[in-house]
Amino acid sequence: MPRFGAAQVTTVAAVLTFLNGAPVWAQNHREVTHPCDRACLTRTVDAYVAALIANDASRLPLAPGAKLTLNDDMVAAERLLWDQATSVQSRVDIANPRLGDTGTQAVITNADGSQFLYAFRLKVANGRITEVEAMLIRNVQEGGLFDVKTLQRPNSSFTTPVRPAEQDSYYDLVAAAEGYWRAFNTNGTPEYRQAPFWPHVPRVENGVKTTDVALQGTPAMSAAEQFDLGDHAGRNIWDLRYPVVDEEFGVVMSVARFGLKAGVTPKRPAQAAQRLVAEFFAVRRGQIVDIQAVMVNRDEKLHSAWAPDYGPTRGGWAPIACNRACLTGFVDAYYTALINNDPRALPQAAKARITVNGTESALASAFWPAAKAVRWRFDAVNERLGDTGTEVVITNEDGSETMEIVRLKVAGGAITEMEIVRCNKGDAGEQWWGPEQLDAKPSAFLTLAIPPAERDSYYGLVAVADGYFRAFQTNGTPDYHRADLMPDTRRFENGAQFTGNIRNGVYTTAQDGFDRGRFVGRNLWDRRYAVVDEERGIVLVILRFGRIDDAKNAASVTSIDRLVAEFFTVKAGKIQEVQAVMMNRPDAAPTGWDTHWYGPGRGGWRRMPTGQ
């Protein structure tokens, strides 16, 4: 977090004065309770370990139909345990009470004095375990590396809580882990991007230190030097997942598969190993400060029992079925059909889902005959997922204008989803209207590609956008966390420019409103990061604006319930331009779109159940 200058200290003091005696609403996780909090989840882990030591699967608090895997193979409950386990030598637990997730790395002592490495992840709902993902490593033959002497005590990097105002967000943590894997996959190539490392990050794999020590004929190198010098070139990291993200302790558990890229000759025998790995990354202020990994050999031809998150596939990134030109062609077709008022001309799937401002609609009802021409437009796409996001200004026959953001999902050569957020003058209040204030053409931030080695990652972009909303929800509270904004970030809402310009004789910045606590009591919920365009550094977020329960807003205009589609352009981790289209929609009116993305619910973090 940047240090405050004198002017900022004055601003913060003013905000704290404003807060004196005021309630702290559930804009963050402080004092928010869940049906199964951290202590409850820890008790569930205790029960699991007790069943292990007793070698009694009947004592496992499993839900009916629970999914169980050991070393990525589906197993019966009895296979998760073994008869020689007698005690736990050391144990590190992380948890996310919001989702009912736990992750544990443990050293288990057996009756004969030997010790095994045992890592497991639990999903807990309604007091029962619905998922168990376990890894057991008994020796060097199974894990490639093995030395439990270094793991006899828990590492404090993974067991020490972080102060709320200094905690990295959920997606900050995911982005740090993703940055590590991206460095792995790009080291030794022109697209290499350094991982977010603290200097001389220690890394322990199956108890063996693999940084700053000489290994297999290679000189001692830090984790950063290994990537910078291309020491891991040719490795492929795939089936990436981030199943447990612990904001309170600043730790993310990531599971991945290790293999070689097609046609690559390994530099040394260890690089040819095919493995399943579960890594704990300790993160502080976006930087990885410690790594503790558990890994087991596994043939890469064997499929995983768990669905991967965003990332490469076995052998590298999968071929793209519909590239940027192909996807923008579908957007072209959409607007051609709209201007011609001919829904039959659009290549939509038979059961395509269409909403206009959150309400289900037929395509014919989404069009209007007076639409004459598109005078302003930019597109964002994700070629790998078939996602597009477009903002336009449409001129109507009577000279009036309509603004909209449209999200399309393309699969199998047809549009399967259309989500339209549309606004005409007056739909969001007179103050929020001004398409004439937009640049004559969309800015370079919205239209130009970024060199590959300088691009922010998928979750890096999500984390920056998420940080904007985190600033919204914590502004005016002791847990305020500043957004990643450039000093001259321009923000346009329904075309009206609100920051990065002069208003009432004063230069306005996006950061100033947050620093002053002007949006205190605001809730940004049902947040979805619907289109993430790594090539251009753009992320489209669709969300709901509401009010924290019982909160009196610092600015009355921010108490209006709205549906918002918002584009963020991000360069080097900073927001440079914001383009939003919004319209009024009551909090009580759901849209029906998927809300699996991490974030608060209607009313704030309070009252959110465990699990989603």
Side-chain angles (χ1 to χ4, degrees):
M1 198 171 177
R3 294 184 179 180
F4 289 130
Q8 292 166 326
V9 171
T10 303
T11 298
V12 171
V15 170
L16 294 177
T17 300
F18 164 78
L19 283 171
N20 188 32
V24 176
W25 298 284
Q27 299 192 107
N28 44 54
H29 293 287
R30 185 195 291 268
E31 299 178 359
V32 174
T33 60
H34 302 286
C36 189
D37 59 12
R38 183 178 295 273
C40 166
L41 291 173
T42 300
R43 287 194 295 271
T44 304
V45 177
D46 291 342
Y48 182 92
V49 172
L52 168 66
I53 299 305
N55 191 30
D56 185 356
S58 68
R59 294 177 59 175
L60 290 171
L62 299 177
K67 182 177 178 179
L68 316 175
T69 66
L70 177 63
N71 294 346
D72 223 0
D73 292 321
M74 297 283 288
V75 296
E78 292 77 12
R79 288 280 310 281
L80 297 169
L81 316 177
W82 63 95
D83 59 6
Q84 289 294 303
T86 59
S87 63
V88 177
Q89 173 61 41
S90 67
R91 176 176 136 189
V92 173
D93 296 330
I94 63 172
N96 186 320
R98 167 78 169 84
L99 299 179
D101 294 326
T102 77
T104 296
Q105 291 188 8
V107 176
I108 306 297
T109 301
N110 299 307
D112 63 0
S114 64
Q115 291 184 325
F116 294 167
L117 279 172
Y118 193 53
F120 58 92
R121 173 187 67 80
L122 307 180
K123 170 74 78 173
V124 180
N126 300 316
R128 313 297 287 178
I129 297 170
T130 62
E131 295 178 0
V132 179
E133 181 179 7
M135 292 175 60
L136 174 63
I137 303 91
R138 297 175 293 184
N139 50 49
V140 69
Q141 288 75 31
E142 290 184 342
L145 300 169
F146 192 84
D147 185 0
V148 295
K149 292 192 297 294
T150 64
L151 302 174
Q152 298 299 295
R153 294 182 180 180
N155 183 338
S156 61
S157 294
F158 304 97
T159 60
T160 305
V162 181
R163 292 177 58 246
E166 296 178 4
Q167 290 172 9
D168 290 283
S169 71
Y170 183 100
Y171 287 113
D172 285 332
L173 294 169
V174 172
E178 182 196 40
Y180 179 84
W181 300 128
R182 184 169 69 159
F184 236 123
N185 276 326
T186 62
N187 82 124
T189 76
E191 298 181 4
Y192 172 58
R193 186 68 181 263
Q194 290 182 318
F197 283 137
W198 199 255
H200 290 278
V201 171
R203 183 178 64 219
V204 172
E205 299 173 299
N206 286 351
V208 177
K209 194 172 191 301
T210 58
T211 57
D212 295 306
V213 295
L215 287 171
Q216 299 178 341
T218 61
M221 290 185 283
S222 68
E225 288 171 331
Q226 289 172 1
F227 288 141
D228 290 347
L229 298 174
D231 191 56
H232 300 291
R235 298 299 298 273
N236 184 40
I237 314 299
W238 53 288
D239 270 7
L240 300 176
R241 290 182 287 123
Y242 310 93
V244 188
V245 181
D246 188 331
E247 294 168 272
E248 184 181 349
F249 283 71
V251 180
V252 55
M253 176 186 187
S254 183
V255 181
R257 302 284 295 276
F258 273 43
L260 274 179
K261 293 176 182 175
V264 171
T265 301
K267 292 182 177 181
R268 52 187 181 275
Q271 286 190 321
Q274 299 170 13
R275 292 187 174 125
L276 170 71
V277 59
E279 305 219 15
F280 278 13
F281 296 97
V283 180
R284 302 293 183 270
R285 299 187 181 186
Q287 301 288 306
I288 297 172
V289 300
D290 210 334
I291 306 169
Q292 187 164 302
V294 172
M295 58 180 64
V296 65
N297 295 335
R298 181 173 174 83
D299 191 328
E300 68 176 38
K301 295 184 180 66
L302 298 175
H303 293 288
S304 174
W306 304 96
D309 204 332
Y310 187 84
T313 61
R314 176 187 168 199
W317 286 98
I320 292 169
C322 185
N323 63 15
R324 182 175 294 272
C326 168
L327 289 171
T328 55
F330 282 95
V331 182
D332 294 340
Y334 173 87
Y335 283 106
T336 298
L338 171 62
I339 297 305
N340 293 331
N341 195 28
D342 183 9
R344 295 172 298 177
L346 192 63
Q348 59 177 306
K351 296 183 179 180
R353 181 164 188 244
I354 305 167
T355 63
V356 179
N357 292 338
T359 301
E360 295 274 357
S361 174
L363 186 58
S365 300
F367 290 173
W368 68 100
K372 181 179 178 182
V374 174
R375 78 158 179 88
W376 196 90
R377 168 183 158 186
F378 72 87
D379 305 319
V381 307
N382 186 309
E383 298 172 320
R384 303 193 188 283
L385 299 179
D387 295 328
T388 80
T390 297
E391 182 175 334
V392 300
V393 178
I394 299 170
T395 302
N396 298 307
E397 289 180 350
D398 63 359
S400 65
E401 292 188 320
T402 299
M403 291 194 69
E404 69 176 23
I405 288 177
V406 174
R407 178 186 68 82
L408 304 180
K409 170 73 79 174
V410 177
I415 298 170
T416 60
E417 296 178 1
M418 301 180 217
E419 184 174 9
I420 303 163
V421 179
R422 179 178 294 154
C423 187
N424 291 294
K425 187 175 183 178
D427 288 351
E430 294 296 319
Q431 185 176 352
W432 284 272
W433 187 254
E436 72 283 351
Q437 298 177 37
L438 293 168
D439 299 332
K441 294 181 179 180
S443 72
F445 299 139
L446 297 162
T447 57
L448 296 182
I450 302 169
E454 297 177 14
R455 293 173 186 169
D456 291 284
S457 67
Y458 182 94
Y459 283 112
L461 292 168
V462 170
V464 173
D466 184 70
Y468 180 86
F469 299 118
R470 182 185 186 190
F472 239 122
Q473 293 201 247
T474 61
N475 82 120
T477 78
D479 294 343
Y480 172 53
H481 199 287
R482 298 184 104 208
D484 295 310
L485 294 161
M486 295 292 286
D488 57 350
T489 299
R490 299 193 304 167
R491 186 176 67 221
F492 295 85
E493 297 172 359
N494 291 343
Q497 185 174 354
F498 285 93
T499 68
N501 59 351
I502 296 174
R503 297 174 65 86
N504 301 320
V506 177
Y507 185 77
T508 64
T509 69
Q511 200 73 264
D512 182 66
F514 293 137
D515 288 349
R516 290 178 181 271
R518 292 190 64 247
F519 309 113
V520 66
R522 200 79 170 103
N523 186 39
L524 295 310
W525 59 287
D526 266 10
R527 303 199 297 250
R528 292 178 287 125
Y529 303 90
V531 184
V532 181
D533 186 334
E534 294 167 85
E535 181 183 336
R536 295 189 179 177
I538 301 174
V539 56
L540 169 62
V541 189
I542 302 177
L543 70 155
R544 307 293 297 277
F545 272 39
R547 185 168 59 89
I548 299 294
D549 293 343
D550 305 320
K552 181 179 179 181
N553 293 72
S556 61
V557 293
T558 67
S559 64
I560 303 169
D561 297 344
R562 288 188 171 133
L563 172 66
V564 182
E566 199 153 359
F567 282 102
F568 296 90
T569 69
V570 180
K571 305 295 181 291
K574 298 286 187 180
I575 297 170
Q576 295 190 310
E577 186 169 332
V578 183
Q579 287 281 349
V581 171
M582 59 181 68
M583 53 80 61
N584 296 343
R585 183 177 176 88
D587 271 5
T591 67
W593 289 107
D594 176 27
T595 57
H596 76 280
W597 290 87
Y598 190 82
R602 179 184 169 194
W605 287 104
R606 189 181 292 128
R607 302 178 183 171
M608 293 301 293
T610 298
Q612 283 188 306

